[in-house]
Amino acid sequence: MKKLVILAGVLLLAGCSKLSMENYNQLKVGMSYQEVTAIIGDATSCEEVIGTRSCVWGDDSKSVKAGFVADKAIAFSHKGLN
């Protein structure tokens, strides 16, 4: 019974993912990092190099990538969104 409750919780959280095509379509060049995270949540990982930031949300099967310069989005891409 306990395993069933845990499994149901995991499935519920997976269904509430902010990584969707609907949310991806709300992302616009020029948005700040904070505006992007308000739409799709906290990034899974980010790398910063000389005033640029490259962030990834999600995993190998479903993800969004964004590039930022001076805290403004310059590019977005996605993989596995429906």
Side-chain angles (χ1 to χ4, degrees):
M1 178 67 175
K2 187 176 180 179
K3 289 182 182 180
L4 183 59
V5 171
I6 291 171
L7 178 60
V10 168
L11 291 174
L12 180 62
L13 288 175
C16 295
S17 173
K18 290 186 171 187
L19 291 182
S20 67
M21 187 56 81
E22 181 179 340
N23 285 346
Y24 179 80
N25 288 334
Q26 293 180 43
L27 303 176
K28 305 292 180 213
V29 169
M31 286 182 154
S32 69
Y33 175 78
Q34 185 175 2
E35 290 171 317
V36 172
T37 59
I39 295 171
I40 60 173
D42 293 330
T44 305
S45 66
C46 290
E47 295 180 3
E48 295 188 44
V49 178
I50 310 172
T52 66
R53 181 188 284 183
S54 177
C55 297
V56 176
W57 288 258
D59 56 34
D60 288 339
S61 63
K62 185 176 180 180
S63 64
V64 171
K65 294 181 183 180
F68 299 85
V69 172
D71 196 43
K72 299 294 180 190
I74 59 167
F76 296 100
S77 64
H78 70 85
K79 175 182 174 185
L81 299 183
N82 297 330

